[in-house]
Amino acid sequence: MKYSSVKLLVAGLGLGLVLSHAQAAQTSPAEAVAPREKAAFTVPTDPAAKKLLVQQIKDYMALPPAQVRAHPAAADFPGLAPAGSPRVTRVVTVHGPKNHGPDTALYAGRKDGWQSTGLYANAGEIVTVTPVAALPAGVTIEIFVGCHTDRLFNDKIDKWKRFPSLARSFPLTQQATPVANAFGGPLFVSVKNAKGATAGELNIGLRFANAVEAPFFVLGKTSVADWKKARLAPAPWGELVGHGMILHFPAAQVRGMEDPTALLEWWDKVIAAEDGLVGWPARAAQERVVPDRQISVGWMHSGYPFMCNLASAPMITDLGKLRTNGDWGFFHELGHNHQSADWTFAGQTEVTVNFFSLYCMEHIVGKPTGAGHRALDGEKLFKALDRRLGTPPSTDPFDQLAPFVVLLRKYGWDPLQKTLVSYQSAPLGRKMPEPQRQAEFVRRYSRNAKANLTDYFKQLGYACPDELGAELKALPAFDYAAWRKTATPAQQAKL
């Protein structure tokens, strides 16, 4: 791609930038997009101009490694290794692909997750990756450069607070493979099996040359003495690797941390609790959290990795606050990764996800049953119930969550947990209509609670056919009105 006409292109986009002839000859349109922390870039409002710019950015982020140079905004975010930082060569052993969760999970079940290396590619520099031995037949490997995978091209984003595309990936060949990113980033490996391949527990050695060491700690492997050296590594981003969770963060955040063990053990308990709530089998691959200056939607969002705003990064490693207060948002996004369509119905994506937040707030942090979010504190729970059962019924996520808090306080967690777990051994057909899925949820929940919940869920709009009520008639019916009269809000909160 030639950039001699970049001055005209940039002017045509209305960016208000004036480049000299010499600059124009060497600067791409994408390099003119250089947001800073306090100077966001305004996205063109003209659809044609935006489309052109987005394509130029995509082309820029697909340049061959030999043509990649550090972007002018890379030093601002995600950052550079300090000048003079040593470059290292390391052999990293990676394994075959492993599942994050069952295929029925809405946002998990991926088999191509990243494997960490503890290494970083500095912006604009080539890192060469070479297999130590021939790759097994039927196995393909990708090298990822960058953990900030959100792209900011959706129409709801009118300002870019950082460059809108930061991560890259490269297929590994049998020979030395150069990889490079104009913004740099942590280096990851993804091993995939071609159909019919039998990678299993294979181990593959990869040599990384010209990389920068990152602050990197692996629970159960890295000693405290080794961590005290590793935490000073020059890369601008680091990782703490637990058995169920991997934490990413700006490196400066942990350079003074004495021992990450207790922090990772806490996060592993969170993952184990959420896995246990739905009966997932033993976890083979970790979840990841990555803070970013700007993400594609919201303050946090689920996925792999699950993303949060950079302002939330300090909370990731603040064990004192996590132990005392938990973090509803972190629990929530991890909950999305555990949701299933078997028991999450239309309009409930932001409702059933909070089963996980409530469960962790109680079982990890020690909050009373149903507590942990101000939207349902004290009298607010009863006001939420009145709105949910009113005319018309409220569809607000917390108003929809409130009736489940009632059941949790009445019957405890055991019936709901058994209900969710049951879908692992007895999942529903992918094409089962929603009314039937709702009825099956009520059936399982009722049997596990040893109570007929059909009238209650019918009030909530669930499909509860007469035959279901007849099937469950031997069980005592749950009487919401009677429950409502039994205690004050303060007393209910202690149940």
Side-chain angles (χ1 to χ4, degrees), residues 382-400:
F382 292 86
K383 292 178 180 178
L385 289 165
D386 290 341
R387 291 190 295 268
R388 180 71 181 97
L389 298 170
T391 305
S394 171
T395 58
D396 173 82
F398 285 100
D399 292 351
Q400 291 194 69

Side-chain angles (χ1 to χ4, degrees), residues 105-107 297 300-303 328-329 331-357 388 395-398 400-401 404 434 437-438 462:
L106 291 179
Y107 301 98
V297 61
M300 298 184 185
H301 71 72
S302 60
W328 185 280
F331 299 156
H332 175 106
E333 301 307 340
L334 286 168
H336 275 309
N337 286 1
H338 289 80
Q339 277 180 300
S340 168
D342 282 351
W343 42 265
T344 297
F345 311 121
Q348 287 192 343
T349 301
E350 297 301 325
V351 180
T352 63
V353 64
N354 286 324
F355 294 166
F356 300 92
S357 293
R388 180 71 181 97
T395 58
D396 173 82
F398 285 100
Q400 291 194 69
L401 183 64
F404 288 100
E434 182 162 290
R437 287 188 287 120
Q438 290 180 340
Y462 281 60

